[in-house]
Amino acid sequence: MELSCPVSAERVNENVVRIIAFMVAVIAITCMVFSNYWAIVFLIFDFALRAFTTGKFSLLKFIAIRISNVSSIPPKMKDLAPKKFAATLGFVFCLLITATFLFNFYTIALILTFIMTVFALLESLFAICVGCYIYSFLQVFVKKNEA
């Protein structure tokens, strides 16, 4: 099923998004392995920049664009809105992970980090964007209830 955005004509290079997702997965795995969640705070800010702005100042986006350019991967353009929604979900996940970690709910923080890692790996390795599917489902659900 091709995911499409009924709201926006803006596009994003899916290959760059997949590289970002891989970096998110690596950071999250590192946090779990070393039981140190301070890098998740970095992800909060990076997800916020990509979800709520153009992402111009996102370090992960900057690095991913450079990797994509150096490796000469041809761009694969996709709708931006589902990807922004997915970044918003990543932002929320990171907020929850940080809160649960700070309040000593380490098991919950670990579970949430694991889930976020699985989602990031699905995106980076198989181009399966769980947040995009949720976005599309919500768009259909809203349209269905408006009728």
Side-chain angles (χ1 to χ4, degrees):
M1 170 171 104
E2 178 70 25
L3 299 176
S4 65
C5 171
V7 178
S8 172
E10 294 179 274
R11 312 284 278 167
V12 65
N13 183 347
E14 184 180 37
N15 293 321
V16 169
V17 172
R18 290 178 69 183
I19 294 167
I20 293 169
F22 185 77
M23 290 186 286
V24 168
V26 168
I27 291 169
I29 290 168
T30 303
C31 289
M32 288 187 293
V33 167
F34 293 105
S35 295
N36 186 334
Y37 283 76
W38 292 109
I40 297 294
V41 175
F42 163 75
L43 289 179
I44 289 172
F45 290 105
D46 201 78
F47 272 121
L49 288 169
R50 288 182 283 113
F52 307 119
T53 73
T54 61
K56 180 179 178 179
F57 298 106
S58 162
L59 180 60
L60 293 183
K61 184 177 177 181
F62 176 82
I63 294 168
I65 289 170
R66 296 305 173 268
I67 291 170
S68 178
N69 290 342
V70 167
S71 58
S72 301
I73 301 170
K76 185 176 181 183
M77 303 311 285
K78 291 285 186 170
D79 292 323
L80 177 64
K83 300 296 185 183
K84 274 191 160 298
F85 180 79
T88 303
L89 290 180
F91 171 75
V92 170
F93 258 83
C94 288
L95 284 177
L96 290 171
I97 292 165
T98 301
T100 55
F101 184 77
L102 291 175
F103 289 111
N104 297 325
F105 296 114
Y106 300 124
T107 304
I108 295 171
L110 181 65
I111 291 167
L112 291 172
T113 307
F114 179 77
I115 292 168
M116 184 177 73
T117 303
V118 169
F119 289 173
L121 288 173
L122 284 171
E123 170 71 44
S124 66
L125 300 176
F126 305 109
I128 298 171
C129 177
V130 175
C132 297
Y133 281 104
I134 294 170
Y135 176 85
S136 293
F137 171 79
L138 290 174
Q139 291 300 315
V140 170
F141 182 76
V142 167
K143 282 185 179 183
K144 193 178 207 182
N145 286 331
E146 287 177 350

